[in-house]
Amino acid sequence: MARGRFISLEGGEGVGKSTQLAALEEALRRRGFDVLVTREPGGSEGAEAIRRLLLEGEEGRWNARAEALLFAAARSDHVAKTIKPALAAGRWVLSDRFLDSSLAYQGEAGGLGIEAVRDLHRFGSEDFLPDRTLVLSLDAGEGRARARHRDGDEGDRIGGRPPSYHAAVERGFRLMADAEPERVKLVDASGNAETVTARLIAALGDLLQ
Ligand code: TYD
């Protein structure tokens, strides 16, 4: 059986990622693929337990290194228990966030450096990578305004960090797209939902042949 494809969808806060995830799932199903939708942090029983440790509680609950290790540990379990078995069964896996979130949030915005976080992934998941990473990209100010509108002013431990942190996340995603242009595609998240979905599908073009 042919191995399925692994796609991750990324983006900062308030770029319309949930809407686009559902639209992309639907578009792939219409093309006849058996699609598994999953998310990070989470996507397996152990990783969902780690998700609660990461997203709940005080902002200062974890130091930057512990936070990065927890994301890497959750990802290791998610890859081993959920993603790899689905791909081996010929399914397409669509993940709401994956490694590039750690590179942008913990690596670039959190100050650990992208290479240090990539090293954690080399150890935790043997550097297992998506076939394609789609990054929804908006001017950071616009994204934050949308997220505040949706969530009220609160957000989770990480979503609630200051605008300078979220601007650095956006920069981190751009650095990833520059460093790995074949795998990581920046997709303009402005405009109506249908237009953005069409851009996402176009950025998957070669994989859909
Ligand atoms: P979630 O509620 O899933 O938010 P979103 O709708 O923005 O995807 O919360 C995930 C939060 O965790 C989000 O603020 C991004 C952050 N995050 C990291 O900092 N590093 C990571 O590796 C991942 C996967 C997520």
Side-chain angles (χ1 to χ4, degrees), residues 5 43 62 79 83 87 116 119 138-139 165 168 195 197:
R5 298 287 191 176
W62 307 109
V79 167
I83 299 174
L87 294 173
D119 280 343
L138 268 185
D139 157 74
Y165 183 91
T195 308
T197 306

Side-chain angles (χ1 to χ4, degrees), residues 13 17 51 55 71 75 97 101-102 105-106 156 158:
E13 315 291 315
K17 190 161 52 62
R51 176 186 176 91
L55 298 185
F71 275 112
R75 185 161 301 123
R97 301 192 180 278
S101 277
S102 279
Y105 284 78
Q106 283 67 48
D156 54 55
I158 295 173

Side-chain angles (χ1 to χ4, degrees), residues 1-41:
M1 187 186 307
R3 174 189 175 278
R5 298 287 191 176
F6 175 29
I7 312 295
S8 60
L9 186 63
E10 300 277 5
E13 315 291 315
V15 291
K17 190 161 52 62
S18 307
T19 306
Q20 292 305 326
L21 191 79
L24 204 49
E25 175 186 7
E26 177 58 30
L28 291 172
R29 286 196 204 285
R30 270 205 310 273
R31 283 171 168 76
F33 298 116
D34 179 5
V35 185
L36 174 73
V37 175
T38 185
R39 69 164 180 188
E40 288 207 344

Side-chain angles (χ1 to χ4, degrees), residues 40-204:
E40 288 207 344
S44 63
E45 193 183 331
E48 289 289 335
I50 297 174
R51 176 186 176 91
R52 290 189 286 279
L53 297 175
L54 277 162
L55 298 185
E56 294 170 9
E58 291 301 307
E59 157 62 19
R61 183 177 191 181
W62 307 109
N63 68 50
R65 287 167 193 272
E67 179 179 295
L69 285 162
L70 285 167
F71 275 112
R75 185 161 301 123
S76 175
D77 197 64
H78 185 211
V79 167
K81 304 263 180 59
T82 302
I83 299 174
K84 283 188 173 175
L87 294 173
R91 306 186 75 186
W92 278 51
V93 176
L94 182 56
S95 187
D96 183 348
R97 301 192 180 278
F98 191 68
L99 170 68
D100 299 276
S101 277
S102 279
L103 299 174
Y105 284 78
Q106 283 67 48
E108 182 66 16
L112 295 175
I114 286 173
E115 261 314 301
V117 175
R118 186 67 179 254
D119 280 343
L120 297 184
H121 187 62
R122 286 196 183 96
F123 179 75
S125 301
E126 297 168 289
D127 210 28
F128 182 73
L129 295 173
D131 294 292
R132 181 71 31 90
T133 295
L134 303 170
V135 181
L136 288 167
S137 178
L138 268 185
D139 157 74
E142 194 184 335
R144 291 299 298 153
R146 278 206 212 173
R148 266 196 298 276
H149 181 71
R150 190 193 58 209
D151 300 338
D153 237 339
E154 300 288 303
D156 54 55
R157 264 189 74 247
I158 295 173
R161 288 176 182 169
S164 57
Y165 183 91
H166 292 286
V169 167
E170 191 68 26
R171 188 172 68 233
F173 283 128
R174 287 177 196 281
L175 289 170
M176 296 318 306
D178 287 345
E180 293 182 65
E182 287 299 312
R183 177 175 71 85
V184 183
K185 309 283 184 195
L186 285 184
V187 176
D188 177 8
S190 67
N192 67 40
E194 292 74 22
T195 308
V196 178
T197 306
R199 290 183 193 126
L200 290 170
I201 301 287
L204 287 178

